[in-house]
Amino acid sequence: VLGEKLGILDPYEFESLESLRAEIVTIIEEHLSVLQIIPRAIYGEPFHFMQSRIIEVPTGLAAHTLTEFREILGTVDSSVIYYHTFEAILRLGRKKGDFSIWVEEQLGLPELAQKISRLDPYMTSLEIIRHRILKLCDEVLEKRALE
């Protein structure tokens, strides 16, 4: 039950990482409050707290057109996709990732940007996200070629 409650949380509905964290704590507290027996860690087994740090490393790659963007996106390491989707949203507290913002603001392609921003990275893998963005770019590029 707890897993289902946490699973339906949409991280994009929250203004900040702190508000998402507060909602997770509330859900867990409510779940524990109705249990007759509260699960515990096995005696003697410590909980190991871990810390994570994201280090930005420039790739030296830059796109100026949709064609360049598509070509580069197809070859970069998946950590680039993580950084510009998950990390961009969490780092800056935005509802959209770097890819959709750049496509809309710099290329003037709001429809493509909206389709990219609708991709849910929490329900799939980074490689599937890459594949779907590439497919969306290909659709726009093919349409332009026919015009």
Side-chain angles (χ1 to χ4, degrees):
V1 174
L2 177 59
E4 289 177 4
K5 289 178 181 177
L6 293 172
I8 62 171
L9 269 180
D10 182 358
Y12 295 112
E13 291 180 2
F14 296 88
E15 295 288 323
S16 67
L17 186 56
E18 191 56 41
S19 62
L20 173 60
R21 182 178 299 147
E23 181 64 18
I24 291 170
V25 168
T26 300
I27 290 170
I28 293 170
E29 285 176 343
E30 287 174 0
H31 179 77
L32 292 175
S33 72
V34 297
L35 293 179
Q36 291 182 5
I37 299 173
I38 297 176
R40 300 184 184 275
I42 298 172
Y43 180 75
E45 293 291 323
F47 183 87
H48 299 276
F49 287 89
M50 300 299 195
Q51 183 177 25
S52 170
R53 296 190 190 269
I54 299 293
I55 300 172
E56 296 177 26
V57 179
T59 63
L61 303 169
H64 299 91
T65 65
L66 183 59
T67 301
E68 291 175 354
F69 175 79
R70 192 252 179 258
E71 289 173 7
I72 294 170
L73 183 63
T75 63
V76 294
D77 185 81
S78 61
S79 64
V80 172
I81 297 163
Y82 176 85
Y83 180 80
H84 290 292
T85 53
F86 289 99
E87 193 59 31
I89 292 166
L90 297 174
R91 179 182 76 242
L92 301 173
R94 301 185 304 205
K95 292 187 183 248
K96 296 179 181 180
D98 292 338
F99 294 145
S100 60
I101 290 173
W102 183 79
V103 165
E104 182 171 6
E105 293 178 0
Q106 301 303 315
L107 297 181
L109 297 169
E111 289 177 28
L112 175 59
Q114 185 176 32
K115 289 177 183 178
I116 291 171
S117 70
R118 283 192 203 140
L119 297 174
D120 188 352
Y122 294 97
M123 297 299 172
T124 189
S125 70
L126 293 172
E127 287 305 321
I128 291 174
I129 291 294
R130 176 200 316 260
H131 174 74
R132 289 180 180 164
I133 294 173
L134 292 174
K135 184 178 176 188
L136 290 170
C137 291
D138 287 343
E139 290 171 3
V140 171
L141 291 169
E142 287 172 14
K143 184 178 175 184
R144 283 184 175 176
L146 295 175
E147 293 177 350

